[in-house]
Amino acid sequence: MPAPTRLLAAAVTAAACLGTTAVPAAAAPDADAVVSRGVRIPAFYTPPAALPAADGALIRTERLPLALSLPGVDGPLPGRATRLMYKSTDAGGQPMAVTGAYIEPTAAWKGSGPRPLVALAPGTMGQGDQCAASLGLERPLFLNGQTVSVGYEDLAIYRMLARGIAVVVTDYAGLGTTDRLHTYVNRVDEAHAVLDAVRAARSLDGTSLTDGSRVALFGYSQGGGATAAAAELQPSYAPDVPLAGTYAGAAPADLVAVTEAIDGSDLAGALGWSVNGFLQTDPALRPIADAHLNTAGKAALKDLSTMCVGDALLAYNSARSTSWTTDGRSLGAVIEAEPALKAFLAGQRIGTLKPASPVRVATGTADDLVPHAQARELAVAWCAKGADVTYKPVVLLPLGNSLINHFAPLLADQGDAISWLADRLNGRPADSNCSGIRRQP
């Protein structure tokens, strides 16, 4: 069995252990329903024509049934979930609707102060609306013969709920919501979606959150980039959302380096999600894409636009972008040759602004998918700006497969990352190790 297939099988097994099984294809949908790879997207995810003015304002809510829910003395375990749609602002300054979920834990918070809140930014889910993390809470494993969706972030969410920490999860721009394409790894869209999720959770009725509830951010991979960008933009975009701490694991801070690394890898499909997202953000880039992409490349982008990460692992494993371009050059080479593309990606660089609150940057030393060196450079850049940085190299032996090298640190470091956030939520100061970061791997 190839390594990507083994990893996908492991993720499927883990999702099944959370209390769900593979489900059959959905019944024939209504004529007006949005369908993605045979999955009927609930009407909740279609935004209204008019949106509220305030960022973070709730648009609609409904109860969200968790896949794993057990009876408890004080209520269902791990808690009660609410599906959210809230207003945010995209990178172009335009209003957008974003979905997500808030989970009120049944467990008591035993730390200092009122119950805290963590905003979780999911790792790579895909680009199809059926891949949204909020849907993954309801169905951690979805198989219908056309798509494979795995809610692997549920593990981290449940671990925080068990500590009595409330959690709000964002689906990001265009993932779940049916009015636009997901702008994969767009730092501004992601940062705004994360920060506005906090605002939305705070305004939700019937929770135990108070004005004094401390807030922290948690994210790995795509999520690490989203929380890193949110920590940078919080002082200017959301000064009303002070942060106790931010965990940014395996953050794709330098998209040029990440593009080169994933080309030909197990997760080569992410190249298509990136390009699709760039074109959604800046349609002026489309003539450049049209000039360089051949028929196979354009077909791949269209195909990937409705795929989840499991689908891409199976369909585009080890694909090389040289087969997608008119002249056989890689997408990295095309970016290097096109000033507009270079400028766009330069604008996506994370590490140019100083976070105003403590950050924990973790990266696997063997990670060659979201390269360790560029993630470490993020910590170095923040340290140079005087930020409060805790840098954690997750030292693991190379395991012979780029996806496993990337995924293993998530599991190996997750407990320590949550404990670090819990300390910040308890009001304990962080111990910055900027002074010794250049001596670490």
Side-chain angles (χ1 to χ4, degrees), residues 159-175:
R159 292 178 77 164
M160 287 186 275
L161 294 173
R163 289 176 176 251
I165 300 169
V167 178
V168 64
V169 185
T170 182
D171 289 333
Y172 297 130
L175 192 58

Side-chain angles (χ1 to χ4, degrees), residues 331-356:
L331 287 179
V334 171
I335 291 168
E336 187 63 29
E338 291 286 355
L341 286 175
K342 287 186 70 174
F344 181 88
L345 290 181
Q348 296 298 321
R349 186 68 179 261
I350 306 172
T352 63
L353 302 172
K354 176 187 173 182

Side-chain angles (χ1 to χ4, degrees), residues 6-392:
R6 288 199 303 271
L7 186 60
L8 179 58
V12 166
T13 301
C17 290
L18 283 172
T20 187
T21 57
V23 296
D30 298 333
D32 295 332
V34 174
V35 178
S36 182
R37 293 193 174 263
V39 182
R40 182 183 183 277
I41 307 302
F44 181 95
Y45 289 83
T46 297
L51 300 180
D55 289 322
L58 287 169
I59 298 170
R60 62 174 69 119
T61 66
E62 69 177 18
R63 187 181 72 86
L64 190 159
L66 294 174
L68 176 61
S69 184
L70 302 174
V73 174
D74 298 318
L77 298 173
R80 293 182 173 87
T82 302
R83 204 184 320 266
L84 310 173
M85 179 181 284
Y86 58 93
K87 188 262 182 181
S88 190
T89 297
D90 68 17
Q94 297 302 306
M96 65 177 177
V98 181
T99 53
Y102 170 80
I103 309 98
E104 172 80 10
T106 297
W109 166 245
K110 298 180 180 179
S112 65
R115 189 189 299 280
L117 173 68
V118 166
L120 184 140
T124 296
M125 294 287 149
Q127 206 157 43
D129 289 325
Q130 77 278 11
C131 320
S134 61
L135 290 172
L137 284 164
E138 186 174 359
R139 51 185 195 205
L141 170 63
F142 189 93
L143 299 166
N144 71 348
Q146 297 182 54
T147 192
V148 181
S149 179
V150 181
Y152 60 84
E153 291 289 9
D154 295 2
L155 175 61
I157 293 168
Y158 278 47
R159 292 178 77 164
M160 287 186 275
L161 294 173
R163 289 176 176 251
I165 300 169
V167 178
V168 64
V169 185
T170 182
D171 289 333
Y172 297 130
L175 192 58
T177 45
T178 58
D179 63 330
R180 63 173 65 203
L181 195 63
H182 172 44
T183 47
Y184 183 68
V185 297
N186 180 301
R187 71 177 184 91
V188 175
D189 281 8
E190 291 178 344
H192 289 183
V194 169
L195 293 167
D196 287 327
V198 174
R199 288 166 162 158
R202 284 174 162 179
S203 65
L204 190 64
D205 291 333
T207 77
S208 56
L209 299 177
T210 74
D211 291 341
S213 294
R214 295 187 178 101
V215 176
L217 310 180
F218 179 101
Y220 186 88
S221 193
Q222 181 186 1
T227 57
E232 287 191 338
L233 292 178
Q234 176 271 326
S236 59
Y237 182 75
D240 56 310
V241 185
L243 300 175
T246 295
Y247 164 64
D254 179 352
L255 293 187
V256 174
V258 175
T259 295
E260 294 173 353
I262 64 176
D263 200 342
S265 74
D266 305 321
L267 198 57
L271 291 172
W273 298 328
S274 300
V275 174
N276 283 334
F278 300 160
L279 299 180
Q280 169 75 30
T281 297
D282 188 356
L285 297 175
R286 185 165 293 281
I288 299 174
D290 287 341
H292 287 283
L293 291 171
N294 60 22
T295 300
K298 292 173 183 176
L301 264 58
K302 182 178 180 180
D303 192 26
L304 283 157
S305 70
T306 58
M307 281 189 168
C308 297
V309 65
D311 310 330
L313 285 173
L314 296 173
Y316 287 92
N317 173 46
S318 302
R320 293 196 173 275
S321 64
T322 51
S323 66
W324 295 354
T325 59
T326 54
D327 58 6
R329 287 189 293 175
S330 68
L331 287 179
V334 171
I335 291 168
E336 187 63 29
E338 291 286 355
L341 286 175
K342 287 186 70 174
F344 181 88
L345 290 181
Q348 296 298 321
R349 186 68 179 261
I350 306 172
T352 63
L353 302 172
K354 176 187 173 182
S357 51
V359 289
R360 183 180 188 271
V361 177
T363 171
T365 57
D367 192 343
D368 53 355
L369 190 67
V370 179
H372 163 68
Q374 62 85 43
R376 182 182 182 280
E377 185 55 36
L378 171 63
V380 172
W382 276 343
C383 284
K385 297 180 184 303
D388 185 348
V389 179
T390 300
Y391 169 67
K392 172 64 176 179

